[in-house]
Amino acid sequence: IGSGPAGLAAAQQLNRAGHMVQVIERADRGGGLLMYGIPSMKLDKTEKVLRRLQLLKEEGIAFKYNIEVGKDVSLAELCMSNDAVICATGATQWRDVRGIEGRHLEGIVQAIEFLSA
């Protein structure tokens, strides 16, 4: 579950070890934070991310997009229909670092909010 850096790395390693791999992604395309969180000026998504996704497909990895676990399919269903399930859901929500000196100063923003703006 998840097609960000961790999910793609796990999918590639499992596929190369001879397992049939299917990646389920909530978004309309793969890449996770690489695709949605890093500005194009810092990462050429066509050259890097989309090329890598295409190579993984060519290696035999199946991708299913627009599927939200818990809404479109349950985790129990995935566990029953697969030998193993890896949850690599990424960092779609930030966690507040309470107790850190200066956390609430003006100009301090969460990276996810900053990158996806």
Side-chain angles (χ1 to χ4, degrees):
I1 304 168
S3 67
L8 295 178
Q12 183 178 45
Q13 292 302 310
L14 289 167
N15 186 59
R16 288 182 177 175
H19 300 282
M20 292 180 61
V21 178
Q22 173 180 268
V23 176
I24 297 174
E25 172 58 49
R26 177 182 55 184
D28 63 348
R29 56 189 168 177
L33 187 63
L34 296 172
M35 187 60 73
Y36 291 102
I38 299 175
S40 295
M41 65 185 178
K42 295 186 181 260
L43 175 66
D44 183 348
K45 294 169 187 171
T46 302
E47 175 66 26
K48 304 289 185 202
V49 182
L50 295 178
R51 180 175 169 269
R52 174 59 55 193
L53 290 169
Q54 185 59 39
L55 289 171
L56 293 173
K57 287 178 195 172
E58 291 171 6
E59 290 178 9
I61 297 172
F63 288 87
K64 292 191 174 188
Y65 300 116
N66 297 306
I67 298 176
E68 187 171 345
V69 176
K71 179 181 175 186
D72 301 312
V73 64
S74 73
L75 182 58
E77 289 174 290
L78 291 175
C79 290
M80 293 208 34
S81 61
N82 294 282
D83 292 332
V85 175
I86 294 176
C87 293
T89 54
T92 56
Q93 295 182 357
W94 61 272
R95 289 179 280 175
D96 198 1
V97 285
R98 298 181 188 125
I100 302 297
E101 185 178 338
R103 162 63 186 95
H104 297 290
L105 293 175
E106 184 178 335
I108 303 295
V109 297
Q110 293 295 327
I112 296 292
E113 292 174 1
F114 177 74
L115 290 171
S116 59

